[in-house]
């Protein structure tokens, strides 16, 4: 018999070709995770927003969650990453323009972010829950597409530094905080809204910005608020189409901070020139560049010779946003993995009902919720900087959290991808983008070692920060014996500072864990808190995902974390 000949019961004659062309039905595949409300399908986020003081923002967050989960919005993220920014040095007439062209989807995402105040709301409407509400919205938005959030973060974070120079703040702040987006490559004087970037890193120094070689030459009078011309280079300038940048350069009085616009006040192009765009493994939608400053006009911000303390307030806020972004990446990875496993069957059962898969999914969910709880607790601290405990806590817990949460994200993204299987490796799935994005926040704004050293610096300059940290963590004492033992050992180990820099990573690891454990014990679902303490504070199974001990209520944890779509 011919191998293609139909069986006797198969239609023949004119129907045979149609029969042979139908090879299979598509079954056992999940529906697309789209057209759902990211906020309403995130129980841990809803609870944290209320707990940390932003309950009044719930209606707004529900609306934004629906926008973030819309299929059309999700599609913008894919299109922005499928079309890399393109750099044009000159126009067709030979004029130097230093212009980066973005796909329209990138501009649409920027518009959404800026019109919804992701760069401005805590500054324009400060008070109870302002930073918490903004962090929650940023958390939702960066799950759609993380790369374009870089200029949003820098614009948001620039305000504390620019306010150090009141006359510059009077000229720039209103336009920085405007909830609009104007991507035109024109002088900032023609714009009612602007974005701000940052340029610190140089080839020879990297994170050691005091090794910078860029020089600042006074145009006339010297000192804060005065005009200088900058000569040098910057090795890493993200979002080079921002309207102005905070830059570090050496003036006569030492390393100082400057505000450098892309255009001069007379409308001529400021002579800072993009050499090339970085060819990054991830963060594709966001352009990053190398630039040369050839007498670029800039104004000194803050006290001369105090450039690092001036710009460090901006850096502190960008580090906080790294925590939000990495937490958001974890949440989106958990959403994708749990959604897939809720619908997919194998070996006779749904994947999310298979014991070994339950162990992995629940572990990923625990990590995600711990990151979120830590991040929004710091957001509350930022909302209450007039309280000494909150100020001290934010100073120490920010580098600790930035180090730990960002460092935990890459393996988390990989494990979630593996839960999905081969489909999770395909570029029409969001997981490859989440995986490529996952190392970025751990490296940017100070890598792991830099965060650990900053933690030690905080302890040295303000020893009371450690008291505040342990006072906060101790709020959970008595709730779990494993936590109490872990906390006591960590406090004891801080009594010996003989080789503290060598041991810094170990100490900071455990600081992050003890704070996450404290927050989960006090505020989360008991199954989540128990799983965290059993696997992170008392575990012989290592820190690889899927090591939750027997007795963990994995099903409850997975149910709590799974978006119900389709």
């Amino acid at each position: 018999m011919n191998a293609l000949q139909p069986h006797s019961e198969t239609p023949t004659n004119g129907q045979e070709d149609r029969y042979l062309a139908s090879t299979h039905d598509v079954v056992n595949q999940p529906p697309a995770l789209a057209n759902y409300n990211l906020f309403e399908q995130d129980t841990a986020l809803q609870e944290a927003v209320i707990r940390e003081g932003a309950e009044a923002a719930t209606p707004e967050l529900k609306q934004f969650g629906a926008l973030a989960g819309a299929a059309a919005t999700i599609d913008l993220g894919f299109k922005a990453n499928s079309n890399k920014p393109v750099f044009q040095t000159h126009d067709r007439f030979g004029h130097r323009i230093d212009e980066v062209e973005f796909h329209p989807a990138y501009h649409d995402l920027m518009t959404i972010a800026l019109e919804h105040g992701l760069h401005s709301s805590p500054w324009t409407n400060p008070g109870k829950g302002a930073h918490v509400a903004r962090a929650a919205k940023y958390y939702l938005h960066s799950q759609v597409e993380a790369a374009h959030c870089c200029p949003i973060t820098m614009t948001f974070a620039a305000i504390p530094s620019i306010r150090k120079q009141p006359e510059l703040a009077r000229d720039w702040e209103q336009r920085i905080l405007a909830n609009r987006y104007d991507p035109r490559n024109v002088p900032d004087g023609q714009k009612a809204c602007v974005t701000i970037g940052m340029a610190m890193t140089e080839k020879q120094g990297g994170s050691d910005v005091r090794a910078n070689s860029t020089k600042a030459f006074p145009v006339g009078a010297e000192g804060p608020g005065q005009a200088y011309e900058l000569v040098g280079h910057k090795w890493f300038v993200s979002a080079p189409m921002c309207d102005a940048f905070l830059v570090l350069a050496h003036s006569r009085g030492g390393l100082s901070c400057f505000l450098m616009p892309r255009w001069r006040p007379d409308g001529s192009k400021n002579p800072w020139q993009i050499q090339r765009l970085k060819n990054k493994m991830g963060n594709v939608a966001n352009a990053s560049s190398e630039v040369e400053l050839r007498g670029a006009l800039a104004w000194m911000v803050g006290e001369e010779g105090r450039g690092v303390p001036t710009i460090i307030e901006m850096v502190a806020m960008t580090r906080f946003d790294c925590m939000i972004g990495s937490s958001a990446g974890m949440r989106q990875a958990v959403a994708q993995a749990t959604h897939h496993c809720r619908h997919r069957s194998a070996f006779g059962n749904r994947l999310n009902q298979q014991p070994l898969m339950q162990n992995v999914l629940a572990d990923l969910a625990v990590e995600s919720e711990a990151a979120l709880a830590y991040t929004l607790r710091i957001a509350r601290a930022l909302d209450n900087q007039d309280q000494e405990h909150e100020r001290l806590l934010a100073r120490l817990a920010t580098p600790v959290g930035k180090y730990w949460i960002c460092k935990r994200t890459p393996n988390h993204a990989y494990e979630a991808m593996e839960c999905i299987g081969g489909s999770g490796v395909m570029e029409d799935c969001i997981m490859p983008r989440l995986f490529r994005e996952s190392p970025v926040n751990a490296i940017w704004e100070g890598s792991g070692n830099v965060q650990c050293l900053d933690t030690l610096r905080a302890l040295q300059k303000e020893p009371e920060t450690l008291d505040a940290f342990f006072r906060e963590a101790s709020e959970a004492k008595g709730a779990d014996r494993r936590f109490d033992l872990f906390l006591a050992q960590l406090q004891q180990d801080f009594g010996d500072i003989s080789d503290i820099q060598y041991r810094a990573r170990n100490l900071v690891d455990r600081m992050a864990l003890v704070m996450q454990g404290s927050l989960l014990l006090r505020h989360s679902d008991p199954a989540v808190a128990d799983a965290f303490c059993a696997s992170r504070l008392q575990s012989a199974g290592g820190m690889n995902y899927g090591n939750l001990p027997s007795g963990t209520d994995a099903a409850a944890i997975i149910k709590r974390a799974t978006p119900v779509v389709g």
Side-chain angles (χ1 to χ4, degrees), residues 373-500:
Y374 192 118
T375 297
L376 288 197
R377 176 62 185 92
I378 301 307
R380 173 156 65 93
L382 294 174
D383 278 326
N384 295 280
Q385 287 295 283
D386 58 327
Q387 300 175 24
E388 185 68 357
H389 172 74
E390 301 297 308
R391 184 190 71 80
L392 293 169
L393 181 65
R395 173 62 189 96
L396 187 60
T398 297
V400 171
K402 196 273 188 188
Y403 163 84
W404 181 252
I405 293 170
C406 298
K407 190 167 291 296
R408 293 287 287 172
T409 304
N411 199 42
H412 188 278
Y414 156 70
E415 288 285 0
M417 181 184 291
E418 186 174 303
C419 291
I420 297 172
S423 297
V425 184
M426 302 303 135
E427 290 293 348
D428 51 4
C429 174
I430 197 174
M431 286 309 309
R433 175 158 33 109
L434 292 180
F435 184 64
R436 288 193 299 269
E437 197 76 31
S438 63
V440 171
N441 286 327
I443 296 171
W444 285 7
E445 310 307 330
S447 59
N449 282 356
V450 172
Q451 299 309 310
C452 291
L453 292 174
D454 190 43
T455 299
L456 299 186
R457 188 178 303 111
L459 296 176
Q460 181 181 18
K461 293 185 67 174
E462 291 187 281
E464 57 269 31
T465 57
L466 188 62
D467 296 332
F469 187 93
F470 281 131
R471 186 161 58 251
E472 178 72 25
S474 296
E475 289 290 321
K477 282 183 69 174
D480 188 284
R481 181 183 59 84
R482 297 161 298 189
F483 172 82
D484 291 349
L485 292 172
F486 192 91
L487 173 64
Q489 184 62 58
L490 179 61
Q491 289 177 304
Q492 179 179 325
D493 289 348
F494 267 100
D496 177 14
I497 60 171
S498 58
D499 59 347
I500 193 168

Side-chain angles (χ1 to χ4, degrees), residues 20-43:
L20 294 175
S22 179
T23 62
H24 68 286
D25 294 324
V26 177
V27 296
N28 197 25
Q29 288 287 339
L33 184 55
N35 293 321
Y36 73 111
N37 192 307
L38 267 68
F39 181 73
E40 291 184 336
Q41 293 289 339
D42 191 338
T43 301

